[in-house]
Amino acid sequence: MMNQYASATVVSAACNYIMERPDKFTHTYRTYVKLREHGKLELRFWHSNAIDSTWDTGLVARGGALGGQWRIEAAYVADGGTAPDGSVEPNSQVRVTFDGGSGARSVAPGEKFWSDPVKLDLPEGHLLAFTWTISTDAGGKTVPYNTEQMLVTAYDAPGVRADASDAEGFSLSENLLVMPALIASAKPVRQRLVFLGDSITQGVRTRRDGYEYWAARIADGLGSDYAAWNLGSGWARAYDAAAEGAWLSKVKLGQVPGTGTQIVLALGVNDIDIGARTSEQLLADLNTIITVLRQNDPSAEIILFTVPPFNFSEEREQIWRYVNEQIRSASLPGVDRVFDMAALLSQPAPLEHRLRREFMSSADDPHPNGAAGKVVADAFLAWYFGER
């Protein structure tokens, strides 16, 4: 399937949380995303009903856990216009169907599935609006989603509102990104890239609807004939992927054997921080990820990023330094190329473990801001094409 379709947006819809409610519910979610191409499109949507990565300490959501039983009552795509105000352009909605024409679909725990193809004419500069109504028959843990800071505008409303073109009943969503794992377009591409990382790859703390994080800027610089699938996930760590659960299976889906898919790995911050992993454990997890992906598709090219500075101190600083020494020395087998993101963002020695102040998203938050995203993307693009 993926040899015919490629990711059409750089927005990450990786799941790091799960809905847990005492009672059954019916609710509608509408999300606006910028596609990387416009005009007459053939789209398909793929979803995985599982949690990709661990949130915080994993008390509520742990990477690899399955979603619950829920149902898609209706789903639509539409021309979202140029301003995401909760409405869609009149008469632009097209129903999304499943399994050969069904407008509804029950979703089992851990299930992975595609929609049927859907055609939409999206004017240049307009956003895609994806809307679906989801219901459950009981309370408890049900629908996985992303709860990190919203990087795109989304709305939600109680009840069945998927077919509504107006904004009546919709409220602006906060920390609630409920959308398919992959929006794919039928088109030939020159190259496929999959970005696997944490909140820094996802773009957390950059401007909403700004698409100014490094993965988005790289995709813009490459152009629309390069497919880019962003699997960045807030709080994610390498051991989530090394466990070979739902998250790594998405990377495998993005690998199209024989095409030389490029996989960019940018992990380690949360392993050193909240994950409290040793350098040996982190390097072993990275080795596992690389080995599994290499076995899945020997033609894939694996690009490993150094771990960016995150104002670590004491033992964590030493782990950060050692891991980056090992990455820079090209000692991890199976890695084709290393890109030194840390060197671009670090303060001068001996404070390399600290993010440059102009790149911090706030005075006390070392998540890189949009200016850092530009520096990383510009350097990556020069390095990427200069190496060829």
Side-chain angles (χ1 to χ4, degrees), residues 157-291:
V160 180
R161 293 283 293 158
D163 62 347
S165 60
D166 59 67
E168 183 178 352
F170 283 94
S171 299
L172 194 65
S173 302
E174 290 295 339
N175 301 331
L176 188 66
L177 183 63
V178 187
M179 60 181 291
L182 173 65
I183 299 174
S185 173
K187 61 168 290 184
V189 294
R190 178 177 177 181
Q191 182 68 60
R192 297 171 185 267
L193 289 88
V194 180
F195 300 104
L196 183 68
D198 50 37
S199 58
I200 296 172
T201 302
Q202 184 181 354
V204 168
R205 305 292 182 269
T206 60
R207 187 167 47 93
R208 181 182 295 193
D209 298 320
Y211 296 84
E212 58 188 19
Y213 41 97
W214 64 263
R217 291 183 184 273
I218 286 173
D220 282 347
L222 291 173
S224 61
D225 58 340
Y226 285 72
W229 190 10
N230 188 353
L231 294 176
S233 184
W235 282 107
R237 46 217 82 167
Y239 65 72
D240 288 324
E244 297 187 56
W247 199 27
L248 199 63
S249 73
K250 291 181 177 180
V251 185
K252 292 179 182 179
L253 177 71
Q255 289 180 287
V256 178
T259 65
T261 303
Q262 294 172 321
I263 302 166
V264 176
L265 300 179
L267 290 163
V269 166
N270 294 314
D271 298 83
I272 297 171
D273 193 11
I274 194 167
R277 305 288 272 181
T278 65
S279 55
E280 291 77 12
Q281 288 172 321
L282 173 51
L283 290 167
D285 288 334
L286 291 172
N287 268 313
T288 297
I289 296 167
I290 293 162
T291 299

Side-chain angles (χ1 to χ4, degrees), residues 124-144:
E124 185 71 31
H126 285 218
L127 299 168
L128 176 80
F130 179 88
T131 312
W132 56 355
T133 296
I134 291 172
S135 68
T136 66
D137 292 329
K141 292 184 176 182
T142 53
V143 184

Side-chain angles (χ1 to χ4, degrees), residues 21-77:
R21 301 184 181 180
D23 302 308
K24 66 180 182 179
F25 66 88
T26 300
H27 210 83
T28 300
Y29 305 90
R30 174 169 288 166
T31 307
Y32 296 83
V33 298
K34 182 174 72 171
L35 296 190
R36 302 188 61 233
E37 57 179 343
H38 296 82
K40 296 184 183 300
L41 306 173
E42 179 182 309
L43 303 172
R44 294 188 82 165
F45 303 89
W46 179 85
H47 198 57
S48 167
N49 185 24
I51 300 169
D52 293 315
S53 63
T54 302
W55 176 259
D56 200 357
T57 60
L59 294 179
V60 175
R62 183 171 294 276
L66 304 184
Q69 184 80 36
W70 46 281
R71 180 176 172 82
I72 302 169
E73 298 293 346
Y76 288 84
V77 288

